[in-house]
Amino acid sequence: MSARNGGENGNGRKKPTAAVHLIAGGGAGLCEALACHPLDTIKVRMQLSRRNRAPGVKRKGFFIVGKEIVKRETPLGLYKGLGAVVTGIVPKMAIRFSSFEFYKSFAKVHPETGKISAKAVFISGLAAGATEAVAVVTPMEVIKIRLQAQHHSMADPLDIPKYRNAAHAAYTVVREEGFRTLYRGVSLTALRQSTNQAVNFTAYTYMKQYALTLQPNLSELPSYQHLLLGLVSGAMGPLSNAPIDTIKTRLQRSEARHGESALKRITFIAKDMFKHEGFRAFYQGITPRIMRVAPGQASPHSHAPRAVTFMVYEFIRGHIERFQVSGDNDNQYRE
């Protein structure tokens, strides 16, 4: 294949362009959001729950929380805040892929293997996660959480919520609390996203390299192994930063207070949670979060999206590449 077509990777497969990553990643991210958003809503409700402040009150598991949402707010209640996620999914994927590749470009390539070190992958993932958090994720999360926190029934037209949809929520938040509120918790969001991406990318890279050493006859892992490695590495991020995510959710749910700094508010939330709810409160919602994040994380380093997004990403990418090859062949015949 000619150089003008973007070159090939070590497997003879055409190296994906940024546009392919964007289209395939955006489409896969959209499908993943539609499939996994109910788990995110349950996670947010569990993180905002104050039940464990009352002595003797048993904590609710995610099955019970999900069942109560469906019962009181209809099944559509599980999809509250989806509009904010869908609006931000394409720019989020675009920034994630492009920034990761951009930061990787500064790393030194090993002269023999042609690969960059795991340390460089970790730092690139850290920087990419922080970049997407500041550019897209924080405003999206603020709006999403405000919508998810509303307990109104979507079957009752008289039960009018404060925020009707993502656009109305954004408008109301900016009007009542100021534009800066959309970036409430940006430091925690950046820390969560960066650790997520760094831990996921690094764990995936190490496990993939180890799996290949155990199977020297393979130049690339089969799909089911990508799937299993993706699930394991995708779960490591949430486990490493669950307290950050819980504090962030409570911070973004609360309205801005005049004269109170972000650090002071974060410190108050953390101390209050530990004092009244104990250490376990920082890990509320960890089960649905792992179930949601582990299948949904994507790895631009390996070009293999995790679990749920894997099939969609590869399906879209395969069709795009076949279309490109077909177009190149047609051009050759014309020449």
Side-chain angles (χ1 to χ4, degrees), residues 16-332:
T17 63
V20 172
H21 278 314
L22 174 58
I23 297 171
L30 179 61
C31 292
E32 177 266 326
L34 292 171
C36 300
H37 190 77
L39 291 170
D40 187 69
T41 300
I42 295 171
K43 180 213 74 169
V44 168
R45 291 289 180 89
M46 293 178 73
Q47 289 178 330
L48 295 175
S49 173
R50 306 296 178 94
R51 283 178 59 85
N52 44 354
R53 286 175 177 266
V57 178
K58 187 178 180 181
R59 301 169 188 263
K60 292 182 178 180
F62 75 97
F63 278 121
I64 295 177
V65 174
K67 183 179 178 180
E68 290 183 350
I69 292 174
V70 172
K71 182 178 179 181
R72 297 176 182 177
E73 305 169 41
T74 77
L76 290 176
L78 294 171
Y79 286 90
K80 288 179 176 178
L82 179 62
V85 176
V86 171
T87 302
I89 195 69
V90 172
K92 174 184 173 181
M93 286 292 181
I95 292 171
R96 174 178 295 181
F97 288 129
S98 60
S99 64
F100 183 74
E101 295 296 335
F102 172 75
Y103 294 127
K104 274 206 312 179
S105 67
F106 292 98
K108 292 183 178 180
V109 178
H110 193 280
E112 295 181 1
T113 64
K115 298 179 180 180
I116 64 175
S117 66
K119 180 180 178 181
V121 174
F122 180 87
I123 295 174
S124 299
L126 203 71
T131 301
E132 72 175 48
V134 174
V136 178
V137 177
T138 302
M140 182 183 75
E141 289 265 306
V142 171
I143 300 305
K144 176 183 72 72
I145 289 171
R146 294 293 180 96
L147 290 165
Q148 288 174 321
Q150 297 185 135
H151 290 256
H152 71 289
S153 173
M154 301 184 76
D156 185 359
L158 299 179
D159 189 3
I160 302 175
K162 180 177 181 179
Y163 308 118
R164 294 192 294 270
N165 51 52
H168 181 255
Y171 171 77
T172 304
V173 168
V174 172
R175 185 188 64 186
E176 296 182 354
E177 304 174 51
F179 181 80
R180 291 179 61 183
T181 304
L182 292 177
Y183 283 87
R184 190 170 177 78
V186 64
S187 58
L188 293 179
T189 306
L191 186 59
R192 184 199 66 178
Q193 292 297 111
S194 59
T195 52
N196 259 349
Q197 300 306 323
V199 170
N200 290 342
F201 291 153
T202 306
Y204 189 89
T205 299
Y206 272 116
M207 289 191 296
K208 181 180 177 182
Q209 290 175 352
Y210 182 69
L212 286 171
T213 59
L214 295 178
Q215 305 167 95
N217 58 314
L218 297 179
S219 59
E220 184 57 70
L221 298 178
S223 297
Y224 79 92
Q225 292 187 24
H226 277 303
L227 188 69
L228 293 175
L229 294 181
L231 283 170
V232 175
S233 62
M236 290 183 178
L239 288 171
S240 68
N241 58 28
I244 297 171
D245 188 60
T246 303
I247 296 171
K248 178 200 73 68
T249 297
R250 295 201 179 192
L251 176 68
Q252 292 177 328
R253 170 65 181 89
S254 62
E255 295 186 0
R257 296 184 181 182
H258 181 70
E260 184 180 51
S261 66
L263 180 59
K264 185 177 180 180
R265 184 62 180 165
I266 291 170
T267 304
F268 172 79
I269 291 174
K271 288 182 177 180
D272 186 64
M273 285 178 62
F274 185 77
K275 179 180 179 181
H276 294 99
E277 304 173 51
F279 181 75
R280 284 182 61 188
F282 292 96
Y283 284 84
Q284 285 193 131
I286 187 64
T287 301
R289 186 175 174 223
I290 289 177
M291 292 174 65
R292 185 237 184 275
V293 174
Q297 287 298 312
S299 172
H301 173 69
S302 64
H303 309 311
R306 314 277 200 254
V308 169
T309 55
F310 182 89
M311 293 179 293
V312 180
Y313 181 93
E314 291 293 342
F315 178 80
I316 297 175
R317 172 182 158 183
H319 274 279
I320 294 174
E321 291 178 346
R322 281 194 292 272
F323 178 78
Q324 289 177 332
V325 171
S326 175
D328 290 341
N329 291 336
D330 289 343
N331 289 335
Q332 290 174 1

